[in-house]
Amino acid sequence: MPSPIPATRLLPSHVCPSLDIGTCSSPLTKHSHGSTLQVPVQRFHGRVASRLWSTVIQWKELRSVQPVGSGGFGSVYKAEYFGETVALKKVKKCAKNKLASRQSFWAELNAAHLRHRNIVRIIAATTCVPADFGDESSIGTILMEFVGSRSLQQIIYGGAELLAEDRWLRYATDIVHGLHFLHSNGVVHLDIKPANVLVSAEELCKIADFGCSLKLNQGCEVSALSPHLSHVGGTYTHRAPELLKGEGVSPKVDIFSFGITFWQLITREQPYSGDRQHVLYAVVAHNLRPPVHGHPVFRSETGRQCRTLLGHCWSGEARSRPSAEELLPHLEQLRSRK
């Protein structure tokens, strides 16, 4: 479950100088200096605009809504919107922690104003949902580009698809390009893993699911023990040791998670086995990491270089890890040899 993060940290400063979380709770529709802050959906040549997102969903324009999947976060649907194929995500209210689930919805909007080929684009989001589209367990709805139904999780562990060296290097490079863009805009994803990376029909990786994300002020860190961060979200197998110790949140936590994901891409194996609490303790106390020494896939020249990169990415000290920007030339160099 994601952390209960204050909504003022989740949205651009010009959007929410103050907010009121109520029935129709989007701070993006609050009045600012006497005017209502609403970004209209625009259409260019029959297509939903790629540069703007809206705080209003034109419900009458939704067609052919079909379920795609569901989980603890809520449900995802495929639909047509102004003639475009889109994904519609209903964020579910968690009965045990209503504040955390509400903040998870706002965290989804951290990247709403950003546009990059390796990030899933948000088209619109709102907490104001008509009765025929919503239900009592739904906090709000997010309209996004439809990337497809494949994730890296399915490709890695599905078993049917060939995952050759040039392919997993391309996927890894896509992820790091996306992280570089997010980090340069002050957004930390906090839940990088194969299940949160979608793969398009054109074989392009896009980072998805920002429900655990955090917007940092430039050059600042946020303590994981902050009263606003009672616990840090994310998946325990990919969680950086500094988060487990309650230390600062920085973009380097995503680099650690990428390291585990990269290892999964290379080996197509699960990173850890055994009891969850044992793994968490061992990651911090005994520097436990997925096995690389003696693994056959790391015996080639490319494998040896990837093993070195992995060691840097999942270093126990955040300052010793490379940034996404520093990682890119190494991955591009490996790809150029293929």
Side-chain angles (χ1 to χ4, degrees), residues 23 31 47 60 69 78 87 92 95 116 130 134 151 160 192 219 247 250 257 265 267 284 286 298:
T23 305
H31 291 277
R47 299 179 65 85
K60 293 181 179 180
K78 181 181 179 181
K92 185 169 65 176
H116 191 273
S151 69
I192 294 295
E247 296 174 354
S250 75
S257 301
L265 272 169
T267 66
V284 174
H286 301 297
F298 293 108

Side-chain angles (χ1 to χ4, degrees), residues 206-228:
K206 291 177 178 277
I207 298 172
D209 198 342
F210 285 79
C212 292
S213 67
L214 184 65
K215 186 73 168 68
L216 299 180
N217 294 325
Q218 188 173 8
C220 295
E221 291 187 356
V222 176
S223 170
L225 295 181
S226 163
H228 298 301

Side-chain angles (χ1 to χ4, degrees), residues 65-80:
V65 180
Q66 303 172 358
V68 172
S70 62
F73 60 85
S75 302
V76 177
Y77 303 82
K78 181 181 179 181
E80 297 294 320

